[in-house]
Amino acid sequence: MADDDKEPPMPPAQAQQMASWLPGPFWDIPPLRRNNALYDSQPPFVPPPMEPPPPPADARDDEIDARFQDVLRGQAELASSIDRLRGAIASSPAAREIGPGHNQGPPLQIEELDAESKLLLALLQDKGPRPTPVDRALIADHAAQTLQLSERIKPWLKQAAIGLAMIGVHEVTKDLTAPLWEEVARRIVDLYDAIHVWLSLLL
């Protein structure tokens, strides 16, 4: 191309005026407005709560040992209550009488109660604080059998209370074993609950 065909350079003033008409660079875009209504309608993100880590092995062992000691303590308290009941029966002629109401006693022999309590104690001492799954089932079964003895005492206690109220206060002195039977029934329930808590830690 000949030099004559070239366009003459644009005067500086005209070039400056044309530059003011042209838009800025394509990347110079104004920022988009944030849709606050959309964001405000969404609840803030809350991470799910994390489960607490399991206790250390030594802390769990200490808890098992403590609950087992509760079981042995409950067994000792039951044995003590049975001994007091046996002594009261031996020294109270009315407690040995066969008759209606409170003088007859519950449908349970003191020997049966004592034997079941000693059997459970021997089982606990033999298996220790960490019995095997098979032994745990055996202990739970014997604990349930002991609990049934308590259930056999409770109906008699209710009948004895009604009978004593009907015959008068002066007849209460005939048999003072009813409070001791009630104590034995309560000790059995306490022992059963302690065994249940202890065994639940072993699962």
Side-chain angles (χ1 to χ4, degrees):
M1 174 182 275
D3 292 339
D4 295 340
D5 295 336
K6 292 181 180 181
E7 294 183 0
M10 186 178 296
Q14 186 178 359
Q16 183 177 3
Q17 183 179 6
M18 182 177 291
S20 64
W21 296 343
L22 297 175
F26 68 90
W27 59 82
D28 189 14
I29 302 175
L32 299 176
R33 297 184 60 183
R34 181 173 181 268
N35 191 340
N36 292 329
L38 176 62
Y39 284 93
D40 293 341
S41 63
Q42 301 295 326
F45 173 74
V46 178
M50 298 181 61
E51 295 184 1
D58 54 350
R60 181 177 177 82
D61 290 342
D62 292 343
E63 181 69 10
I64 292 174
D65 291 337
R67 299 291 76 79
F68 184 68
Q69 292 303 317
D70 290 343
V71 170
L72 296 181
R73 190 179 304 110
Q75 174 65 36
E77 292 172 348
L78 173 60
S80 178
S81 298
I82 293 174
D83 288 341
R84 287 194 297 272
L85 176 60
R86 182 187 297 104
I89 292 175
S91 62
S92 174
R96 297 191 299 268
E97 293 178 3
I98 302 300
H102 64 288
N103 285 339
Q104 188 177 2
L108 175 66
Q109 297 294 326
I110 187 68
E111 292 79 12
E112 181 182 359
L113 181 63
D114 190 38
E116 186 65 34
S117 174
K118 290 180 178 178
L119 179 61
L120 182 58
L121 175 60
L123 186 61
L124 292 170
Q125 292 176 337
D126 180 56
K127 303 308 178 182
R130 293 168 184 80
T132 65
V134 174
D135 292 334
R136 290 201 298 266
L138 186 61
I139 292 172
D141 181 63
H142 278 282
Q145 292 180 19
T146 306
L147 184 64
Q148 289 301 316
L149 300 180
S150 175
E151 296 301 321
R152 290 163 60 183
I153 297 172
K154 291 178 181 179
W156 173 82
L157 290 173
K158 294 180 180 179
Q159 294 176 3
I162 295 174
L164 291 175
M166 292 176 61
I167 64 178
V169 179
H170 65 282
E171 295 288 340
V172 174
T173 57
K174 279 190 175 182
D175 187 359
L176 298 179
T177 63
L180 295 175
W181 280 108
E182 183 179 6
E183 179 183 347
V184 167
R186 186 177 68 254
R187 296 295 188 192
I188 291 175
V189 174
D190 292 343
L191 176 59
Y192 178 84
D193 292 341
I195 291 176
H196 177 75
V197 173
W198 165 57
L199 292 179
S200 66
L201 295 175
L202 301 174
L203 299 179

